Amino acid sequence: EKPVSISISDYFKMLDCAKANNRFLQDGTMFVHHPRTEAFLKACEDLQQQEGNSISRISGDFGFFGDEDFFKTNIRARKEEGDPLGCVGDVGWYVVRIGILVYDRIGGYAPTSAQVVDYRISSGDVPIDATCLVWFGENRLLSFHCTFLYPLRQRIEVSCANKTLVMTDFVLPAGGKTNSFELSSRTLTDYDEVSVEEATTTAVPLPGAPQETLMWKHFADCARAIEQEVWDDRSAESTWNNEGIWSTNQSSNKKANESARISILTQRVMDALMESIHMKGQKVLI
């Protein structure tokens, strides 16, 4: 479940425990397994490759309103016997993940620093509202708001010089026969009228199963492929490194390696954001 752990050091302890017991650790971030997510990332990649376009800004929001009972009883709002990362780990995790996926896809840009510029702490001593900044290579930025204090929002917006890609339900897809995202180019005409030069909606058919089911199928496929390699070559066991990556260099395990790498990066950003809160909003290197 997200966040995978309360810190990157604990994450590695979990990986060591899994390895010692011949088990695998699954990152339960379900939306990445929905086919629309891959279509959205491909659209970002295509946009980046167009002349004059360079994606350098991503903004997002994910949060929901927690009532009085939520703050009294829900583990998300309590540090003791709950989730000490609060809204940062519970809902901010998703925005950080999509930001990492986009910047990684368009050019292998990794997160370099993070900052929480505004936040509120609950009576249970966890963040319940946070405005966050995460910088990536070559001055690329992810800015987002995560919260338990406002109505449900789950929007991601990827911007370049003259075009924008938007999903308004990127974590929990809306109902219907398709899920979609929009590519648009909106400009000001004489600085007082909005002109929509281009607006196209890409609709992705619903998968044959919920994204949670697809996540477990992906996990099973990765685990089976790794186990088959170990069965075929017992020496492959020694290639598991201290970053949780199964480095057999076999094409069948590229998905497992990518899942592990991106998950660990997400946890590193979580650590930096929480450290920024503890440092009263200072910028923290990743």
Side-chain angles (χ1 to χ4, degrees):
E1 183 55 283
K2 44 75 207 148
V4 172
S5 180
I6 61 173
S7 69
I8 193 65
S9 60
D10 274 15
Y11 195 136
F12 289 149
K13 290 177 183 177
M14 294 163 68
L15 288 172
D16 288 342
C17 182
K19 180 184 178 183
N21 290 276
N22 194 30
R23 295 292 185 269
F24 298 103
L25 184 66
Q26 161 72 354
D27 175 334
T29 309
M30 66 287 190
F31 81 89
V32 302
H33 304 282
H34 194 292
R36 180 182 58 169
T37 302
E38 174 57 30
F40 184 80
L41 294 174
K42 180 62 168 59
C44 291
E45 187 177 18
D46 292 344
L47 188 60
Q48 175 74 8
Q49 292 174 353
Q50 295 177 12
E51 184 176 358
N53 285 326
S54 180
I55 295 171
S56 58
R57 292 294 181 270
I58 302 174
S59 60
D61 301 277
F62 187 32
F64 58 87
F65 177 76
D67 59 16
E68 183 178 352
D69 183 65
F70 173 87
F71 288 106
K72 286 182 179 179
T73 63
N74 197 284
I75 62 170
R76 295 172 175 86
R78 302 197 320 272
K79 185 173 185 178
E80 297 298 327
E81 299 181 358
D83 183 358
L85 276 62
C87 68
V88 173
D90 186 63
V91 286
W93 175 278
Y94 293 98
V95 193
V96 169
R97 174 59 60 85
I98 190 69
I100 290 174
L101 288 172
V102 170
Y103 282 135
D104 185 71
R105 175 63 70 91
I106 67 169
Y109 302 107
T112 58
S113 59
Q115 183 177 15
V116 181
V117 297
D118 187 54
Y119 57 90
R120 288 182 61 181
I121 304 297
S122 73
S123 58
D125 197 28
V126 300
I128 55 175
D129 185 84
T131 301
C132 308
L133 303 174
V134 182
W135 284 268
F136 290 73
E138 298 187 8
N139 201 34
R140 285 167 164 78
L141 180 66
L142 165 67
S143 60
F144 68 94
H145 179 229
C146 55
T147 186
F148 296 147
L149 300 181
Y150 295 93
L152 175 66
R153 292 169 297 155
Q154 45 171 340
R155 176 185 175 89
I156 196 74
E157 181 175 287
V158 175
S159 300
C160 60
N162 55 19
K163 293 183 180 179
T164 303
L165 278 163
V166 177
M167 275 194 291
T168 59
D169 59 343
F170 82 98
V171 179
L172 302 169
K177 295 183 178 180
T178 62
N179 296 128
S180 63
F181 57 87
E182 182 188 79
L183 171 66
S184 65
S185 177
R186 291 179 170 86
T187 60
L188 286 177
T189 303
D190 296 326
Y191 298 98
D192 58 6
E193 294 182 1
V194 177
S195 171
V196 181
E197 297 180 355
E198 176 186 357
T200 58
T201 298
T202 299
V204 179
L206 295 183
Q211 57 188 11
E212 292 82 0
T213 303
L214 297 176
M215 176 185 72
W216 282 107
K217 184 180 185 303
H218 170 261
F219 181 45
D221 290 344
C222 288
R224 183 168 54 247
I226 292 171
E227 287 182 332
Q228 185 60 48
E229 285 190 19
V230 173
W231 183 261
D232 293 340
D233 179 8
R234 295 306 175 96
S235 65
E237 216 167 350
S238 63
T239 61
W240 175 279
N241 68 24
N242 61 6
E243 286 283 290
I245 309 298
W246 190 268
S247 306
T248 59
N249 296 318
Q250 298 294 320
S251 59
S252 58
N253 287 322
K254 286 182 178 179
K255 286 185 178 181
N257 286 347
E258 279 301 290
S259 295
R261 182 177 67 86
I262 297 298
S263 179
I264 288 169
L265 272 178
T266 309
Q267 188 69 57
R268 290 192 186 281
V269 174
M270 293 292 108
D271 279 24
L273 291 171
M274 293 304 296
E275 185 178 351
S276 178
I277 290 176
H278 296 152
M279 296 173 63
K280 302 188 182 303
Q282 292 187 38
K283 192 173 183 179
V284 175
L285 294 178
I286 298 173

